[in-house]
């Protein structure tokens, strides 16, 4: 079953003085149920644009998108967990209040116990009552992971999930994501950190200058770094 | 949407600008105590004029300072990404922001309004129902400005949004008088053009009961009902247009 499907998606950004930048040039990609797919590529390749289009944050110029076989702007968002690149929260709210606010939009009856459970899982329980403005970059990233998985979504869309974390944090979050993968959740993530790709992903899609240049199972790739350098040269 | 409303209200109410504006508002209401004796027997009229004007002016300041940033912060700091990827439509988000801002204005105007009515009642020695209706009129005027500021925030930055809101406010105040002048001097074509603008810009004079209050005249019920209905419809249209613009916006 196809959970995410993009067909011939094109997106152009208009910059001042009529200048245009083609961020995506007719990309087509499919993510099946239970798959863990990594989207890798250099800066400005179009990774974040593709993710934003999947989530309906950006409107494509042309092409077709479907998530769970439906329009991305429908009620299926309950089944999606999203972590943006460099997530930001309400600075005047505490970590716990932020998580409660975001989760209540998906499940209005969420018990506080579940919020605390999630904060414990991502290692933020001790800082739960501190305003987010006092959080470090890594703590914000952990809170970002918590808000993405708290409602037990079927599909996780993560933009640079392990960036900003220290080595212990990376290991902990990777282990949470691996557990979700074992539970059969579908994970679609973009990353710059190539060593994180192999343990998490089943398949690697390489995007460059708005085009998909490679789409292979991890088993067929061998060394991911060599593979990427070879393709992008 | 309830969560967005509450959060928007909570964010605005925790803003320190609000406390400063409220403090100045209270000071202005009582400023007639100092200026009053200079007016030779017109203390009460002056107190009514300054008091009601202060509620409107400081409400407008809150809208300009807080209202313009309510949406800009969400877009600029990208906090809206986490909200708009949940089961909430963009229109619900905009409506939630508008209602949250309206609640802030309602609470602050009611605080200033209660102080104003108590002060006037103390000065006159009787409870002033007209003053209460005049305060409600000001709240409805501010409601229309909430709609305009939310609309402006969907396509302008806070600075330009503030200029836009001030321009709309001033133009909205001027148009009815300009139409009367154009008709008086028999410039019918100009009067017709201005009448078109009259439909677009908010006519705050429908809800301006200041003169009636100052000269102790009752406010006609039909004027109250028409003014309130006009304000509600106008604000709803503004939020609807803001929602339509935001719906198509790339985030």
């Amino acid at each position: 079953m196809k959970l995410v499907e993009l067909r011939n998606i094109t997106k152009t950004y208009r910059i001042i003085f009529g200048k245009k930048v083609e961020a995506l040039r007719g990309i087509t990609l499919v993510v099946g149920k239970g798959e863990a797919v990594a989207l890798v590529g250099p800066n400005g390749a179009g990774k974040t644009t593709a993710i934003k289009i999947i989530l309906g944050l950006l409107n494509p110029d042309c092409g077709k998108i479907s998530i769970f076989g439906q329009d991305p702007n429908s009620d299926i968002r309950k089944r999606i967990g999203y972590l943006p690149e460099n997530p930001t929260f309400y600075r005047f709210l505490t970590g716990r209040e932020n998580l409660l606010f975001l989760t209540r939009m998906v499940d209005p009856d969420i018990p506080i116990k579940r919020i605390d459970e999630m904060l414990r899982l991502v290692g933020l329980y001790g800082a739960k009552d501190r305003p987010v403005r006092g959080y470090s970059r890594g703590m914000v990233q952990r809170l970002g992971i918590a808000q993405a998985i708290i409602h037990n979504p079927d599909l996780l869309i993560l933009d640079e999930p392990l960036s900003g974390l220290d080595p212990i944090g990376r290991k902990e979050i990777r282990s949470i994501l691996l557990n979700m993968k074992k539970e059969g959740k579908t994970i679609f993530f973009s990353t710059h950190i190539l060593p994180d790709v192999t343990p998490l992903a089943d398949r690697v899609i390489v995007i460059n200058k708005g085009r998909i240049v490679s789409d292979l199972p991890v088993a067929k790739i061998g060394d991911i770094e060599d593979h990427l350098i070879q393709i992008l040269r | 949407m309830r969560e967005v409303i509450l959060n928007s209200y909570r964010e605005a109410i925790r803003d320190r600008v609000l406390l400063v504006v409220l403090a100045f508002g209270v000071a202005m209401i009582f400023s007639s105590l100092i200026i009053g004796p200079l007016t030779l027997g017109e203390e009460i009229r002056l107190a009514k004029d300054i008091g009601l004007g202060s509620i409107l002016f400081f409400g407008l300041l809150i809208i300009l300072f807080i209202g313009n940033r309510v949406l800009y912060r969400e877009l600029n700091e990208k906090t809206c990404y986490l909200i708009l990827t949940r089961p909430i439509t963009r229109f619900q988000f905009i409506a939630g922001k508008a209602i949250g801002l309206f609640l802030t204005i309602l609470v602050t105007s009611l605080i200033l309004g209660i102080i104003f009515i108590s002060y006037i009642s103390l000065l006159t020695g009787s409870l002033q129902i007209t003053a209460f209706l005049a305060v409600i009129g000001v709240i409805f005027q501010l409601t229309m400005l909430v709609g305009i500021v939310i609309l402006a925030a969907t396509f302008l930055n806070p600075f330009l949004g503030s200029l836009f809101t001030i321009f709309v406010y001033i133009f909205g105040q001027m148009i009815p008088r300009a139409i009367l002048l154009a008709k008086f001097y028999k410039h019918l074509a100009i009067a017709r053009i201005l009448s078109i603008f009259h439909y677009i810009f908010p006519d705050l004079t429908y809800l301006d009961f200041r003169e009636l209050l100052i000269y102790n005249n009752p406010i006609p019920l039909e004027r109250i009902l028409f003014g309130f209905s006009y304000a509600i419809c106008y604000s709803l249209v503004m939020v609807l247009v803001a929602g339509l613009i935001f719906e198509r916006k790339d985030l």
Side-chain angles (χ1 to χ4, degrees):
Chain A
M1 187 196 170
K2 295 169 187 168
L3 245 58
V4 178
E5 192 174 7
L6 297 187
R7 292 249 166 251
N8 296 318
I9 297 292
T10 300
K11 178 69 189 173
T12 308
Y13 292 114
R14 278 161 191 85
I15 313 174
I16 46 168
F17 305 123
K19 243 185 154 184
K20 288 177 184 177
V21 174
E22 273 191 285
L24 295 179
R25 303 168 189 220
I27 67 160
T28 294
L29 69 87
V30 174
V31 180
K33 191 175 185 289
E35 259 194 309
V37 178
L39 186 65
V40 295
N43 291 330
K47 302 188 293 289
T48 299
T49 302
I51 285 178
K52 282 184 176 180
I53 283 178
I54 291 171
L55 290 156
L57 292 172
L58 284 177
N59 300 304
D61 300 337
C62 61
K64 262 186 85 175
I65 314 147
S66 81
I67 318 244
F68 296 100
Q70 293 175 46
D71 185 86
N73 292 320
S74 62
D75 217 31
I76 45 113
R77 285 183 187 160
K78 274 184 185 168
R79 298 173 64 190
I80 302 173
Y82 168 56
L83 171 75
E85 187 181 8
N86 303 324
T88 42
F89 294 88
Y90 292 106
R91 294 160 59 82
F92 63 96
L93 295 181
T94 65
R96 196 194 208 193
E97 284 172 335
N98 264 298
L99 199 53
L100 191 63
F101 160 66
L102 290 166
T103 315
R104 277 194 176 152
M105 271 187 273
V106 184
D107 178 5
D109 305 316
I110 187 99
I112 289 282
K113 215 177 111 188
R114 171 81 181 138
I115 303 280
D116 289 346
E117 235 174 63
M118 194 48 63
L119 287 165
R120 222 172 256 125
L121 182 74
V122 297
L124 282 179
Y125 189 74
K128 69 180 187 338
D129 294 322
R130 268 166 51 188
V132 165
R133 63 173 165 264
Y135 277 20
S136 69
R137 165 94 172 78
M139 288 164 90
V140 170
Q141 191 71 8
R142 283 166 187 259
L143 190 60
I145 293 284
Q147 64 78 33
I149 62 175
I150 190 165
H151 53 292
N152 199 21
D154 296 319
L155 169 65
L156 271 172
I157 299 178
L158 313 168
D159 200 351
E160 304 285 352
L162 301 169
S163 74
L165 295 167
D166 55 34
I168 299 167
R170 268 170 66 188
K171 198 180 168 203
E172 284 172 1
I173 300 301
R174 199 188 299 135
S175 129
I176 293 171
L177 296 177
L178 280 169
N179 278 339
M180 295 201 74
K181 189 181 159 188
K182 270 183 207 155
E183 285 169 23
K185 308 287 181 194
T186 307
I187 305 174
F188 181 66
F189 67 102
S190 78
T191 186
H192 273 112
I193 308 166
L194 297 178
D196 292 328
V197 173
T198 326
L200 259 178
D202 303 319
R203 188 153 60 91
V204 179
I205 297 175
V206 182
I207 186 168
N208 189 29
K209 292 176 185 167
R211 285 200 176 91
I212 288 175
V213 288
S214 157
D215 184 349
L216 289 169
V218 168
K220 281 194 178 174
I221 290 176
D223 187 77
I224 179 97
E225 218 166 70
D226 289 345
H227 173 70
L228 203 65
I229 291 167
Q230 204 178 2
I231 286 173
L232 298 180
R233 250 187 199 152
Chain B
M1 192 166 91
R2 190 176 149 265
E3 290 304 318
V4 178
I5 296 171
L6 287 177
N7 200 52
S8 173
Y9 171 71
R10 206 161 30 191
E11 185 181 9
I13 225 82
R14 287 186 191 184
D15 202 316
R16 280 179 199 156
V17 172
L18 195 75
L19 278 178
V20 176
V21 172
L22 261 179
F24 273 106
V26 174
M28 276 294 282
I29 289 171
F30 289 112
S31 68
S32 63
L33 278 174
I34 302 162
I35 315 165
L38 305 172
T39 60
L40 304 171
E42 298 287 341
E43 290 95 339
I44 295 174
R45 283 185 185 172
L46 184 81
K48 286 176 180 177
D49 199 4
I50 292 181
L52 205 59
S54 302
I55 300 171
L56 180 63
F57 177 71
F58 288 102
L60 180 64
L61 280 190
I62 292 170
I63 288 173
L64 293 179
F65 281 125
I66 297 174
N68 260 309
R69 289 185 305 176
V70 157
L71 198 60
Y72 182 75
R73 265 194 209 154
E74 292 274 3
L75 298 173
N76 203 38
E77 293 177 14
K78 297 180 170 117
T79 39
C80 65
Y81 285 6
L82 298 178
I83 299 169
L84 293 169
T85 47
R86 286 177 151 71
I88 178 167
T89 63
R90 289 192 183 196
F91 182 74
Q92 285 174 323
F93 177 72
I94 286 288
K97 286 277 153 195
I99 297 170
L101 182 59
F102 166 71
L103 284 179
T104 312
I105 290 294
L106 182 70
V107 168
T108 48
S109 302
L110 280 179
I111 291 171
L112 291 176
I114 289 166
I115 293 169
F116 167 69
I117 295 164
S118 313
Y119 177 51
I120 296 297
S121 300
L122 266 176
L123 286 179
T124 55
S126 63
L127 189 68
Q128 293 280 305
I129 299 296
T130 320
F132 173 74
L133 288 172
V135 169
I136 300 290
V138 168
I139 293 173
F140 274 97
Q141 288 183 54
L142 293 169
T143 307
M144 287 197 275
L145 295 172
V146 165
I148 289 160
V149 90
I150 290 290
L151 171 67
T154 56
F155 61 93
L156 294 171
N157 65 36
F159 176 70
L160 291 177
S162 295
L163 285 184
F164 178 83
T165 310
I166 293 168
F167 167 76
V168 170
Y169 171 71
I170 293 171
F171 213 63
Q173 297 275 55
M174 277 169 47
I175 286 178
R177 291 182 185 100
I179 292 173
L180 281 178
L181 272 177
K183 280 182 180 164
F184 183 78
Y185 289 109
K186 308 259 186 283
H187 294 304
L188 293 179
I190 295 174
R192 252 180 241 131
I193 294 168
L194 286 171
S195 300
I196 296 168
F197 284 117
H198 194 213
Y199 284 110
I200 302 167
F201 289 87
D203 187 347
L204 301 176
T205 56
Y206 291 141
L207 291 147
D208 188 357
F209 305 137
R210 202 180 333 183
E211 259 179 51
L212 295 170
L213 174 70
I214 291 169
Y215 296 105
N216 292 320
N217 292 322
I219 304 168
L221 181 68
E222 60 270 28
R223 193 170 158 191
I224 296 171
L225 292 178
F226 176 77
F228 291 178
S229 321
Y230 171 75
I232 292 168
C233 292
Y234 191 89
S235 313
L236 286 178
V237 170
M238 288 298 111
V239 174
L240 194 70
V241 176
L244 288 174
I245 294 172
F246 195 63
E247 202 76 44
R248 302 181 62 82
K249 198 177 173 78
D250 276 343
L251 300 172

